[in-house]
Amino acid sequence: MKNRKIKNVFREGAIASQFIGDSIAKHQSKTTIGAHSIFLGQVRADELEGKTVSAIEYTAHEEMANIKFHEIRETTFEKFNLSCMHIYHSLGLVKTGEICLFVFVSSPRRKEVFKALEFVVEEIKAKVPVFGKEIFEDSSHQWKVNS
Amino acid sequence: MKNRKIKNVFREGAIASQFIGDSIAKHQSKTTIGAHSIFLGQVRADELEGKTVSAIEYTAHEEMANIKFHEIRETTFEKFNLSCMHIYHSLGLVKTGEICLFVFVSSPRRKEVFKALEFVVEEIKAKVPVFGKEIFEDSSHQWKVNS
Amino acid sequence: MDLKIKYFGLLAEITLCNEEVLEFSETTISEVLEVLHNKYPSLRDKDFQVAQDLEIVSKDSIVSATEIALLPPFSGG
Amino acid sequence: MDLKIKYFGLLAEITLCNEEVLEFSETTISEVLEVLHNKYPSLRDKDFQVAQDLEIVSKDSIVSATEIALLPPFSGG
């Protein structure tokens, strides 16, 4: 898969808004970039039979997932004219309102980033072995299913 | 146009990455949100006949522009299922690598945010009377044209 | 009738002002533009739209506001 | 032949372990699954995919790795 290294996409716990701000700041020296697009997945306090989700606990087949993230990255660079791309996904407990997925794509031109961002997020949802356990306020749980 | 107030979208100078991080943080109490999408326009160091852009100076028909931003906001809320939306645009000097446009949309569901984000950005480019003057390193300039 | 004309971007570089109040007896936008073209010949080959009451109007509209704006191509974002 | 079986998400709740090493004489994935279904009857009505060498494989594939993973529906992001 080209010469890019397989990175570890996972971060323990929620992704902090400060971390996202810092990531944006790091791109300000790249003056061929004209457009960034960012997707953030946030844990919703969904209700089910009167119970409310308080957190999602994420597990993954980490080795396989990092390979899949890498393949998605390579495919996306082939399909779209991007300057750079970053993906971070939480493992462990992420409380409602916190961020569990951060996808960041940058390009000289805006048209590319919209298509690339949606492509990356849909690929992650479909192809990466990550499993979310929705934990309710009473400590009962159910396994999340992506729609 | 409904009961939302016309906001002032303009900020003097570049939009700081810290401001973007703080905006994200403010949404973490909104636990019906499942997906955010963000667009950032960044000033490119384009070259033209051997000269390099060092900054863009933005001016606008501010009153009209804020009304157009407001109309775009209202139309977008009608077309897409969004929880919230924020738009900030720079006025005055924004140096290469700095951010001049920040669009932030949030929804319970991810499918909405991709479409809404692209819609908002394309509407801004087409309908809002903002004018960018590309300033080269030798202080000469040319007027930017959106593609 | 006094009409305030606002110029933006490139157009303000040609007119050397951001706005000016001129007296017109003309009734349509295109007639007003003809006067401005005579005052600023370089305007003639520039691409711009005209806003009246903060809305883009066609050039055969009747002048109904006390202020119009000449807007070159938008380049926000 | 020893085969390490990894269980994820909901499936690990059924098997009460994240992984185990079992001895098999079976040659296809579906034959291995049949053994696991007998050991854990609740697995039978669960929806999952099987990965071998970190790639999803069909259930009539030949077992060629020393480790396979049982993956319930993905729910990342």
Side-chain angles (χ1 to χ4, degrees):
Chain A
M1 300 249 73
K2 293 281 185 52
N3 47 3
R4 287 188 198 88
K5 257 179 48 188
I6 295 180
K7 296 179 187 174
N8 179 23
V9 159
F10 292 108
R11 292 294 177 272
E12 195 56 40
I15 296 159
S17 55
Q18 168 92 52
F19 177 80
I20 299 162
D22 291 348
S23 284
I24 295 166
K26 280 183 194 155
H27 288 74
Q28 309 215 314
S29 59
K30 302 195 177 177
T31 57
T32 58
I33 292 174
H36 305 285
S37 191
I38 291 171
F39 178 85
L40 303 173
Q42 182 167 303
V43 174
R44 275 197 315 269
D46 279 354
E47 278 192 46
L48 179 87
E49 294 168 12
K51 298 188 295 185
T52 304
V53 171
S54 66
I56 294 182
E57 187 180 14
Y58 285 103
T59 52
H61 189 326
E62 291 185 52
E63 189 184 0
M64 183 173 164
N66 276 316
I67 290 171
K68 290 294 160 195
F69 279 121
H70 181 78
E71 289 173 2
I72 292 168
R73 191 191 313 274
E74 294 299 315
T75 308
T76 310
F77 271 115
E78 276 163 30
K79 286 174 76 88
F80 304 98
N81 174 27
L82 295 185
S83 309
C84 47
M85 178 186 340
H86 303 277
I87 305 174
Y88 301 96
H89 198 297
S90 295
L91 280 185
L93 209 67
V94 183
K95 286 182 270 191
T96 52
E98 292 183 330
I99 288 162
C100 56
L101 173 62
F102 170 28
V103 178
F104 188 1
V105 298
S106 310
S107 170
R109 305 260 160 212
R110 75 180 181 283
K111 307 264 182 202
E112 296 294 306
V113 295
F114 298 118
K115 286 180 286 177
L117 186 72
E118 182 164 13
F119 177 78
V120 172
V121 173
E122 295 303 330
E123 286 282 290
I124 292 172
K125 297 269 180 183
K127 297 193 178 164
V128 181
V130 174
F131 312 101
K133 185 164 86 169
E134 292 176 319
I135 298 169
F136 296 102
E137 282 158 344
D138 65 357
S139 299
S140 64
H141 72 265
Q142 71 172 9
W143 289 90
K144 187 172 170 251
V145 178
N146 277 351
S147 56
Chain B
M1 300 250 75
K2 296 277 182 59
N3 47 2
R4 287 189 199 86
K5 257 178 53 187
I6 295 179
K7 296 180 186 173
N8 179 24
V9 159
F10 292 108
R11 292 294 176 272
E12 195 58 38
I15 295 159
S17 55
Q18 167 93 54
F19 177 79
I20 298 162
D22 291 348
S23 284
I24 295 165
K26 281 182 195 157
H27 288 75
Q28 309 212 315
S29 58
K30 300 194 179 179
T31 57
T32 59
I33 292 174
H36 304 287
S37 190
I38 291 172
F39 178 85
L40 303 173
Q42 183 166 303
V43 174
R44 275 197 316 270
D46 280 353
E47 277 192 46
L48 180 89
E49 294 168 10
K51 298 187 295 184
T52 304
V53 170
S54 66
I56 294 182
E57 187 180 14
Y58 285 103
T59 52
H61 188 326
E62 291 183 51
E63 189 184 359
M64 183 174 162
N66 276 316
I67 290 171
K68 291 291 160 197
F69 279 121
H70 181 78
E71 289 174 2
I72 292 168
R73 190 190 314 273
E74 293 298 316
T75 307
T76 309
F77 270 115
E78 276 162 29
K79 284 174 79 90
F80 304 98
N81 174 26
L82 296 184
S83 309
C84 47
M85 178 187 338
H86 303 277
I87 306 173
Y88 301 96
H89 197 297
S90 294
L91 280 184
L93 210 66
V94 182
K95 287 182 270 193
T96 53
E98 292 183 331
I99 288 162
C100 57
L101 173 61
F102 169 27
V103 178
F104 187 1
V105 297
S106 310
S107 170
R109 305 261 161 210
R110 75 180 182 283
K111 306 265 182 200
E112 296 293 307
V113 296
F114 298 117
K115 287 179 287 178
L117 186 72
E118 181 164 14
F119 177 79
V120 171
V121 174
E122 295 302 330
E123 286 282 290
I124 291 171
K125 297 270 182 183
K127 296 193 177 163
V128 181
V130 173
F131 313 102
K133 186 165 86 170
E134 293 178 317
I135 299 169
F136 297 102
E137 283 158 344
D138 65 358
S139 298
S140 64
H141 72 265
Q142 72 173 7
W143 289 90
K144 185 171 171 254
V145 179
N146 278 352
S147 56
Chain C
M1 180 186 65
D2 277 357
L3 190 58
K4 183 190 281 185
I5 319 283
K6 291 188 163 193
Y7 305 102
F8 290 88
L10 174 62
L11 307 180
E13 289 189 340
I14 291 170
T15 61
L16 299 173
C17 66
N18 292 318
E19 59 179 63
E20 62 186 336
V21 177
L22 299 173
E23 210 188 313
F24 290 92
S25 55
E26 285 69 15
T27 55
T28 69
I29 298 290
S30 61
E31 287 164 359
V32 168
L33 292 182
E34 199 47 42
V35 173
L36 297 176
H37 285 154
N38 287 333
K39 182 169 182 191
Y40 307 107
S42 319
L43 273 188
R44 201 176 289 272
D45 60 348
K46 296 301 171 202
D47 176 24
F48 60 87
Q49 300 182 91
V50 178
Q52 172 164 262
D53 286 331
L54 308 175
E55 285 290 342
I56 304 292
V57 291
S58 78
K59 289 179 186 169
D60 45 290
S61 302
I62 303 293
V63 177
S64 60
T66 56
E67 180 182 306
I68 66 170
L70 271 53
L71 306 168
F74 304 163
S75 53
Chain D
M1 181 186 68
D2 277 357
L3 190 57
K4 184 190 279 183
I5 319 284
K6 292 188 163 194
Y7 305 102
F8 289 89
L10 174 61
L11 308 179
E13 289 190 339
I14 290 171
T15 61
L16 298 174
C17 66
N18 292 319
E19 59 179 62
E20 62 185 335
V21 177
L22 298 173
E23 210 188 315
F24 289 92
S25 55
E26 285 69 17
T27 55
T28 67
I29 298 289
S30 60
E31 287 164 0
V32 168
L33 292 183
E34 199 46 41
V35 174
L36 296 177
H37 284 154
N38 287 333
K39 182 168 184 193
Y40 306 108
S42 319
L43 273 188
R44 203 177 285 272
D45 60 347
K46 295 301 171 200
D47 176 24
F48 61 87
Q49 300 183 90
V50 177
Q52 172 164 263
D53 286 333
L54 309 174
E55 284 291 340
I56 304 292
V57 292
S58 78
K59 288 178 186 171
D60 45 290
S61 303
I62 303 293
V63 176
S64 59
T66 56
E67 179 182 308
I68 65 170
L70 272 53
L71 306 168
F74 305 163
S75 54

mmCIF file of all heavy atoms in Angstrom, chain D residues 17-40:
data_model
loop_
_atom_site.group_PDB
_atom_site.id
_atom_site.type_symbol
_atom_site.label_atom_id
_atom_site.label_comp_id
_atom_site.label_asym_id
_atom_site.label_seq_id
_atom_site.Cartn_x
_atom_site.Cartn_y
_atom_site.Cartn_z
ATOM 1 N N CYS D 17 -15.367 -14.811 26.774
ATOM 2 C CA CYS D 17 -13.916 -14.623 26.645
ATOM 3 C C CYS D 17 -13.639 -13.817 25.374
ATOM 4 O O CYS D 17 -14.469 -13.765 24.464
ATOM 5 C CB CYS D 17 -13.174 -15.958 26.587
ATOM 6 S SG CYS D 17 -13.534 -16.934 25.121
ATOM 7 N N ASN D 18 -12.477 -13.158 25.331
ATOM 8 C CA ASN D 18 -12.094 -12.386 24.148
ATOM 9 C C ASN D 18 -11.382 -13.253 23.120
ATOM 10 O O ASN D 18 -11.376 -12.931 21.940
ATOM 11 C CB ASN D 18 -11.177 -11.228 24.547
ATOM 12 C CG ASN D 18 -11.915 -10.183 25.356
ATOM 13 O OD1 ASN D 18 -13.052 -9.849 25.052
ATOM 14 N ND2 ASN D 18 -11.287 -9.699 26.422
ATOM 15 N N GLU D 19 -10.752 -14.297 23.619
ATOM 16 C CA GLU D 19 -10.107 -15.222 22.687
ATOM 17 C C GLU D 19 -9.877 -16.551 23.371
ATOM 18 O O GLU D 19 -9.850 -16.644 24.610
ATOM 19 C CB GLU D 19 -8.790 -14.646 22.156
ATOM 20 C CG GLU D 19 -7.768 -14.325 23.221
ATOM 21 C CD GLU D 19 -6.475 -13.784 22.634
ATOM 22 O OE1 GLU D 19 -6.530 -12.703 21.996
ATOM 23 O OE2 GLU D 19 -5.422 -14.422 22.798
ATOM 24 N N GLU D 20 -9.733 -17.576 22.570
ATOM 25 C CA GLU D 20 -9.414 -18.896 23.107
ATOM 26 C C GLU D 20 -8.722 -19.693 22.006
ATOM 27 O O GLU D 20 -8.904 -19.415 20.825
ATOM 28 C CB GLU D 20 -10.671 -19.619 23.613
ATOM 29 C CG GLU D 20 -11.699 -19.889 22.533
ATOM 30 C CD GLU D 20 -13.000 -20.496 23.087
ATOM 31 O OE1 GLU D 20 -12.971 -21.120 24.155
ATOM 32 O OE2 GLU D 20 -14.044 -20.338 22.403
ATOM 33 N N VAL D 21 -7.917 -20.674 22.430
ATOM 34 C CA VAL D 21 -7.248 -21.532 21.455
ATOM 35 C C VAL D 21 -7.911 -22.906 21.525
ATOM 36 O O VAL D 21 -8.048 -23.488 22.608
ATOM 37 C CB VAL D 21 -5.741 -21.647 21.763
ATOM 38 C CG1 VAL D 21 -5.073 -22.610 20.776
ATOM 39 C CG2 VAL D 21 -5.084 -20.270 21.701
ATOM 40 N N LEU D 22 -8.373 -23.372 20.376
ATOM 41 C CA LEU D 22 -9.066 -24.664 20.320
ATOM 42 C C LEU D 22 -8.391 -25.523 19.263
ATOM 43 O O LEU D 22 -7.771 -25.007 18.331
ATOM 44 C CB LEU D 22 -10.544 -24.459 19.961
ATOM 45 C CG LEU D 22 -11.381 -23.630 20.938
ATOM 46 C CD1 LEU D 22 -12.767 -23.381 20.353
ATOM 47 C CD2 LEU D 22 -11.495 -24.320 22.293
ATOM 48 N N GLU D 23 -8.538 -26.824 19.434
ATOM 49 C CA GLU D 23 -7.961 -27.715 18.439
ATOM 50 C C GLU D 23 -9.038 -28.122 17.443
ATOM 51 O O GLU D 23 -10.153 -28.494 17.842
ATOM 52 C CB GLU D 23 -7.388 -28.956 19.127
ATOM 53 C CG GLU D 23 -6.215 -29.517 18.356
ATOM 54 C CD GLU D 23 -5.763 -30.846 18.922
ATOM 55 O OE1 GLU D 23 -5.648 -30.953 20.156
ATOM 56 O OE2 GLU D 23 -5.564 -31.773 18.107
ATOM 57 N N PHE D 24 -8.721 -28.013 16.176
ATOM 58 C CA PHE D 24 -9.688 -28.332 15.128
ATOM 59 C C PHE D 24 -9.076 -29.299 14.130
ATOM 60 O O PHE D 24 -7.870 -29.241 13.852
ATOM 61 C CB PHE D 24 -10.058 -27.056 14.337
ATOM 62 C CG PHE D 24 -10.898 -26.092 15.120
ATOM 63 C CD1 PHE D 24 -10.292 -25.082 15.851
ATOM 64 C CD2 PHE D 24 -12.281 -26.196 15.124
ATOM 65 C CE1 PHE D 24 -11.061 -24.177 16.580
ATOM 66 C CE2 PHE D 24 -13.046 -25.288 15.841
ATOM 67 C CZ PHE D 24 -12.429 -24.282 16.572
ATOM 68 N N SER D 25 -9.944 -30.159 13.578
ATOM 69 C CA SER D 25 -9.503 -30.956 12.437
ATOM 70 C C SER D 25 -10.249 -30.499 11.180
ATOM 71 O O SER D 25 -10.026 -31.016 10.094
ATOM 72 C CB SER D 25 -9.769 -32.442 12.708
ATOM 73 O OG SER D 25 -11.134 -32.613 13.026
ATOM 74 N N GLU D 26 -11.120 -29.486 11.353
ATOM 75 C CA GLU D 26 -11.943 -29.014 10.251
ATOM 76 C C GLU D 26 -11.111 -28.197 9.259
ATOM 77 O O GLU D 26 -10.101 -27.594 9.632
ATOM 78 C CB GLU D 26 -13.101 -28.160 10.784
ATOM 79 C CG GLU D 26 -14.207 -28.954 11.439
ATOM 80 C CD GLU D 26 -13.810 -29.612 12.769
ATOM 81 O OE1 GLU D 26 -12.786 -29.199 13.363
ATOM 82 O OE2 GLU D 26 -14.529 -30.533 13.202
ATOM 83 N N THR D 27 -11.552 -28.157 8.024
ATOM 84 C CA THR D 27 -10.756 -27.470 7.009
ATOM 85 C C THR D 27 -11.400 -26.185 6.482
ATOM 86 O O THR D 27 -10.714 -25.348 5.911
ATOM 87 C CB THR D 27 -10.477 -28.390 5.800
ATOM 88 O OG1 THR D 27 -11.728 -28.860 5.298
ATOM 89 C CG2 THR D 27 -9.600 -29.555 6.191
ATOM 90 N N THR D 28 -12.697 -26.011 6.661
ATOM 91 C CA THR D 28 -13.308 -24.764 6.181
ATOM 92 C C THR D 28 -13.803 -23.934 7.359
ATOM 93 O O THR D 28 -14.033 -24.449 8.460
ATOM 94 C CB THR D 28 -14.511 -25.006 5.239
ATOM 95 O OG1 THR D 28 -15.567 -25.588 6.005
ATOM 96 C CG2 THR D 28 -14.139 -25.931 4.097
ATOM 97 N N ILE D 29 -13.967 -22.643 7.093
ATOM 98 C CA ILE D 29 -14.476 -21.726 8.114
ATOM 99 C C ILE D 29 -15.848 -22.199 8.592
ATOM 100 O O ILE D 29 -16.115 -22.224 9.810
ATOM 101 C CB ILE D 29 -14.578 -20.291 7.541
ATOM 102 C CG1 ILE D 29 -13.194 -19.761 7.135
ATOM 103 C CG2 ILE D 29 -15.262 -19.346 8.526
ATOM 104 C CD1 ILE D 29 -12.258 -19.435 8.261
ATOM 105 N N SER D 30 -16.700 -22.624 7.679
ATOM 106 C CA SER D 30 -18.056 -22.999 8.112
ATOM 107 C C SER D 30 -18.033 -24.247 8.996
ATOM 108 O O SER D 30 -18.837 -24.357 9.922
ATOM 109 C CB SER D 30 -18.990 -23.160 6.921
ATOM 110 O OG SER D 30 -18.514 -24.159 6.077
ATOM 111 N N GLU D 31 -17.084 -25.114 8.752
ATOM 112 C CA GLU D 31 -16.958 -26.277 9.637
ATOM 113 C C GLU D 31 -16.495 -25.856 11.040
ATOM 114 O O GLU D 31 -16.985 -26.355 12.046
ATOM 115 C CB GLU D 31 -15.979 -27.300 9.037
ATOM 116 C CG GLU D 31 -16.561 -28.065 7.835
ATOM 117 C CD GLU D 31 -15.503 -28.773 7.000
ATOM 118 O OE1 GLU D 31 -14.289 -28.694 7.329
ATOM 119 O OE2 GLU D 31 -15.892 -29.403 5.990
ATOM 120 N N VAL D 32 -15.580 -24.901 11.065
ATOM 121 C CA VAL D 32 -15.123 -24.377 12.372
ATOM 122 C C VAL D 32 -16.296 -23.714 13.094
ATOM 123 O O VAL D 32 -16.503 -23.909 14.302
ATOM 124 C CB VAL D 32 -13.957 -23.376 12.178
ATOM 125 C CG1 VAL D 32 -13.673 -22.617 13.472
ATOM 126 C CG2 VAL D 32 -12.700 -24.104 11.691
ATOM 127 N N LEU D 33 -17.089 -22.972 12.325
ATOM 128 C CA LEU D 33 -18.223 -22.282 12.957
ATOM 129 C C LEU D 33 -19.223 -23.289 13.520
ATOM 130 O O LEU D 33 -19.840 -23.046 14.564
ATOM 131 C CB LEU D 33 -18.911 -21.349 11.944
ATOM 132 C CG LEU D 33 -18.093 -20.136 11.496
ATOM 133 C CD1 LEU D 33 -18.915 -19.266 10.549
ATOM 134 C CD2 LEU D 33 -17.616 -19.310 12.700
ATOM 135 N N GLU D 34 -19.383 -24.391 12.822
ATOM 136 C CA GLU D 34 -20.314 -25.415 13.299
ATOM 137 C C GLU D 34 -19.891 -25.907 14.688
ATOM 138 O O GLU D 34 -20.728 -26.068 15.587
ATOM 139 C CB GLU D 34 -20.378 -26.582 12.285
ATOM 140 C CG GLU D 34 -21.600 -27.457 12.412
ATOM 141 C CD GLU D 34 -22.911 -26.704 12.544
ATOM 142 O OE1 GLU D 34 -23.094 -25.684 11.825
ATOM 143 O OE2 GLU D 34 -23.747 -27.101 13.389
ATOM 144 N N VAL D 35 -18.587 -26.101 14.874
ATOM 145 C CA VAL D 35 -18.059 -26.507 16.183
ATOM 146 C C VAL D 35 -18.352 -25.431 17.235
ATOM 147 O O VAL D 35 -18.800 -25.716 18.355
ATOM 148 C CB VAL D 35 -16.539 -26.789 16.097
ATOM 149 C CG1 VAL D 35 -15.956 -27.068 17.489
ATOM 150 C CG2 VAL D 35 -16.266 -27.943 15.132
ATOM 151 N N LEU D 36 -18.126 -24.178 16.841
ATOM 152 C CA LEU D 36 -18.351 -23.076 17.793
ATOM 153 C C LEU D 36 -19.842 -22.930 18.115
ATOM 154 O O LEU D 36 -20.218 -22.634 19.259
ATOM 155 C CB LEU D 36 -17.795 -21.763 17.229
ATOM 156 C CG LEU D 36 -16.270 -21.752 17.020
ATOM 157 C CD1 LEU D 36 -15.828 -20.440 16.387
ATOM 158 C CD2 LEU D 36 -15.535 -21.973 18.349
ATOM 159 N N HIS D 37 -20.689 -23.150 17.127
ATOM 160 C CA HIS D 37 -22.128 -23.100 17.368
ATOM 161 C C HIS D 37 -22.540 -24.170 18.374
ATOM 162 O O HIS D 37 -23.431 -23.939 19.198
ATOM 163 C CB HIS D 37 -22.902 -23.318 16.049
ATOM 164 C CG HIS D 37 -22.896 -22.125 15.159
ATOM 165 N ND1 HIS D 37 -23.047 -22.207 13.793
ATOM 166 C CD2 HIS D 37 -22.751 -20.803 15.424
ATOM 167 C CE1 HIS D 37 -22.994 -20.987 13.276
ATOM 168 N NE2 HIS D 37 -22.820 -20.130 14.247
ATOM 169 N N ASN D 38 -21.906 -25.309 18.300
ATOM 170 C CA ASN D 38 -22.238 -26.357 19.269
ATOM 171 C C ASN D 38 -21.746 -25.986 20.662
ATOM 172 O O ASN D 38 -22.413 -26.232 21.654
ATOM 173 C CB ASN D 38 -21.638 -27.699 18.827
ATOM 174 C CG ASN D 38 -22.409 -28.257 17.644
ATOM 175 O OD1 ASN D 38 -23.594 -27.961 17.472
ATOM 176 N ND2 ASN D 38 -21.736 -29.032 16.797
ATOM 177 N N LYS D 39 -20.570 -25.354 20.705
ATOM 178 C CA LYS D 39 -20.044 -24.949 22.017
ATOM 179 C C LYS D 39 -20.866 -23.787 22.598
ATOM 180 O O LYS D 39 -21.119 -23.739 23.808
ATOM 181 C CB LYS D 39 -18.567 -24.543 21.876
ATOM 182 C CG LYS D 39 -17.925 -24.155 23.200
ATOM 183 C CD LYS D 39 -16.406 -24.025 23.139
ATOM 184 C CE LYS D 39 -15.856 -23.723 24.540
ATOM 185 N NZ LYS D 39 -14.474 -23.282 24.520
ATOM 186 N N TYR D 40 -21.256 -22.837 21.743
ATOM 187 C CA TYR D 40 -22.007 -21.659 22.183
ATOM 188 C C TYR D 40 -23.291 -21.556 21.361
ATOM 189 O O TYR D 40 -23.327 -20.818 20.356
ATOM 190 C CB TYR D 40 -21.178 -20.383 21.983
ATOM 191 C CG TYR D 40 -19.813 -20.400 22.612
ATOM 192 C CD1 TYR D 40 -18.670 -20.494 21.823
ATOM 193 C CD2 TYR D 40 -19.650 -20.299 23.998
ATOM 194 C CE1 TYR D 40 -17.406 -20.498 22.389
ATOM 195 C CE2 TYR D 40 -18.389 -20.306 24.574
ATOM 196 C CZ TYR D 40 -17.264 -20.409 23.778
ATOM 197 O OH TYR D 40 -16.025 -20.404 24.344
#
